[in-house]
Amino acid sequence: MASALGNAITLPLSSFHPSPSPNKFLPSSSSFAAKPLFTPINTSLTPKRKPTCVRASSSPSFGSRLEDTIKNTVSHNPVVVYSKTWCSYSSEVKSLFKKLGVDPLVFELDEMGPQGPQLQKVLERLTGQHTVPNVFIGGKHIGGCSDTLKLYRKGELEPLLSEANAKKTES
């Protein structure tokens, strides 16, 4: 017979019986019987694949082409920012450049479809940085938001921007 204590229900010990299940503390009632969480997959229905033959080719891999594209982009543009639209750190860096009269080339990785994460992986391989913003000035990797703000506070960012011809001429 069960009795209730507040929100808890107590069951007499006589309702618990040893069972072959690994959990000996469950009541023997069939409503509490352990059921498998996952149904085994019938592997006989899974198509068998033949081993794929990988051949070396003279054309560069997709990753190395992306790497070349990134290197070319950062070397031919004074300021490049790889960013994500929802990232507050990216917004902070873009606002700082706007305040300084700089119009960086911005790549919003989250708006580039499947190429965005691929670019981010290649950027990590090139720079060691897996976060955004990923800032380049004059073809050199500067770092992220903290690195860019640190250069600004030390008075070292504006000379870098001037060297890279990144400053807009004021009229």
Side-chain angles (χ1 to χ4, degrees), residues 69-103:
T69 301
I70 291 170
K71 288 177 179 178
N72 189 38
T73 300
V74 300
S75 67
H76 287 92
N77 293 282
V79 181
V80 181
V81 178
Y82 292 91
S83 169
K84 291 187 180 174
T85 56
W86 51 263
C87 175
S88 60
Y89 297 107
S90 295
S91 297
E92 192 169 349
V93 163
K94 291 181 284 188
S95 293
L96 174 62
F97 285 135
K98 184 176 182 177
K99 174 182 162 184
L100 296 174
V102 173
D103 190 21

Side-chain angles (χ1 to χ4, degrees), residues 140-159:
K140 296 176 193 153
H141 181 245
I142 299 303
C145 181
S146 302
D147 303 305
T148 307
L149 291 174
K150 188 177 183 182
L151 287 172
Y152 175 68
R153 287 187 196 112
K154 289 168 53 180
E156 296 173 10
L157 182 63
E158 291 179 88

Side-chain angles (χ1 to χ4, degrees), residues 57-66 68:
S57 82
S58 59
S59 66
S61 71
F62 182 71
S64 68
R65 285 192 311 254
L66 270 179
D68 291 342

